[in-house]
Structure formats: structure tokens, C-alpha cells
Amino acid sequence: HKKFAITPTVSFNSGSYYGSPLSVPGYVPQLCSALPSNTPTTPGVSCGVVPSVGSPGSNLPSAIFVPDPYTGKFDSLGALREPWQLVANLQVSYDFSPRVSLVAIANNVFNKCYQRSYAWDTNTACWYSSLPSNALAPNGPGSQPGAFLTNPPVQLAYPYGIWFNNTQVGITSAIQPFTLTMQLDIKL
């Protein structure tokens, strides 16, 4: 209106899908001298290794994938859904004269993720995925090779968790804070 302009923006993200049948590694029972459940403080200590085909001495711990203890089955690809997110921003500008104007941009005036009520949900994140299971296995109740952590941190209690990988996908999982930037334009 005349020298004053307001531009609100609203963004809605319905939430992508995630899930994998290969999210929880377990032990190969034929290579264990004792059941891992019988030695809960060191569940894999009696289990052998699979000889590697490559260089000598690079044997890998024996592992097979087991059903997800949270869902009770092998999850299908995309079996779970990320939360939906609603974000509102605001831009306000004012022309003091034909040569001087001020622009203020308020990002994340409203930014909320509406979780799907999974056990690993947190109100500070909007994107989830599988844990890197070969290097970081879940350690929650009933999981194999779990049990050796009696009170695992929530990040390790389930086979899924917050996805902090902005170098590959260009986003960050954490809900972004409110930011205000101002710009003064002067034309010479």
C-alpha cells in the first residue's frame, strides 16, 4: 500500500517416508557358543566372525538383520512417515523516498513440526531416518545386539532417529529458530 509492503509466506511440508527392512543388525546364532540373550552385559562376546574375502585380518563381526523390535517385523521401505511441518515467514518493506528503502525479513515467525507419535520423536526435529546400523546399532529393549546398555540414550534406543545430514540433502533436521534481518537500500 503506497510506500509500505507486507509479504507473508506460509510453507507446508507433508512429511516424507522412511524405513528399512535392514535397520536392526543381530547376531548369527550358528557362530555363537552362547545365546547373546544369556549374556546381556556382553551379548556378542561368544559370537565368531565372518572371514573377509579381502585383505587378511579384516574379519567382520558376524551379523544378520533381525525384525525391528519396535514394530515387531521387518519394516518395508517407507513404512514410517516423517512429521508434517508448518512454517510462516514475514517480509515488510517501506520506501522512505525513491532512493531509500528499508526491508525487514522475519524468518520462522511460526515453525512447528507435528510428530507422528513414534517413540523416537522429539519436538526439536522434523526429519528422521535409519541409524547407520552397521556402525551404530540400536540398543533398546529386546534388540540384538542391544541389551548391553541398560539405559541407552534415546538416540540409540530405536533403529530410527533424527537425520542430521545437511551435507547430502541440503537441510537440517532441527527446527530453525526465529531470525530477523534488516536491509537498508540506498540508491546513488
Side-chain angles (χ1 to χ4, degrees):
H1 183 264
K2 296 183 182 178
K3 296 182 177 188
F4 188 66
I6 297 177
T7 308
T9 61
V10 176
S11 173
F12 171 75
N13 179 348
S14 63
S16 186
Y17 294 91
Y18 65 100
S20 171
L22 305 178
S23 60
V24 182
Y27 296 106
V28 178
Q30 296 86 342
L31 298 175
C32 299
S33 59
L35 288 174
S37 59
N38 291 341
T39 56
T41 56
T42 57
V45 72
S46 71
C47 298
V49 296
V50 176
S52 71
V53 180
S55 59
S58 61
N59 296 336
L60 301 172
S62 58
I64 58 172
F65 287 96
V66 297
D68 177 357
Y70 178 76
T71 61
K73 60 183 179 181
F74 286 100
D75 298 329
S76 62
L77 293 174
L80 306 163
R81 191 151 188 198
E82 292 174 341
W84 61 277
Q85 183 180 23
L86 188 62
V87 180
N89 305 302
L90 182 66
Q91 176 178 306
V92 178
S93 65
Y94 185 78
D95 296 327
F96 293 101
S97 72
R99 293 181 178 231
V100 179
S101 62
L102 179 68
V103 178
I105 300 173
N107 286 315
N108 302 308
V109 173
F110 180 84
N111 188 348
K112 182 163 177 150
C113 288
Y114 296 87
Q115 304 295 329
R116 305 279 180 182
S117 299
Y118 299 127
W120 51 88
D121 284 352
T122 174
N123 59 4
T124 60
C126 293
W127 292 276
Y128 300 90
S129 188
S130 301
L131 297 176
S133 56
N134 287 337
L136 184 62
N139 290 291
S143 66
Q144 302 260 359
F148 67 88
L149 291 177
T150 54
N151 289 317
V154 71
Q155 297 89 345
L156 297 179
Y158 302 99
Y160 303 102
I162 300 169
W163 182 247
F164 288 117
N165 196 354
N166 59 335
T167 57
Q168 288 185 359
V169 293
I171 55 172
T172 180
S173 177
I175 294 176
Q176 298 302 300
F178 171 79
T179 57
L180 177 66
T181 57
M182 299 183 85
Q183 174 179 320
L184 181 64
D185 292 324
I186 301 171
K187 296 178 185 175
L188 300 176

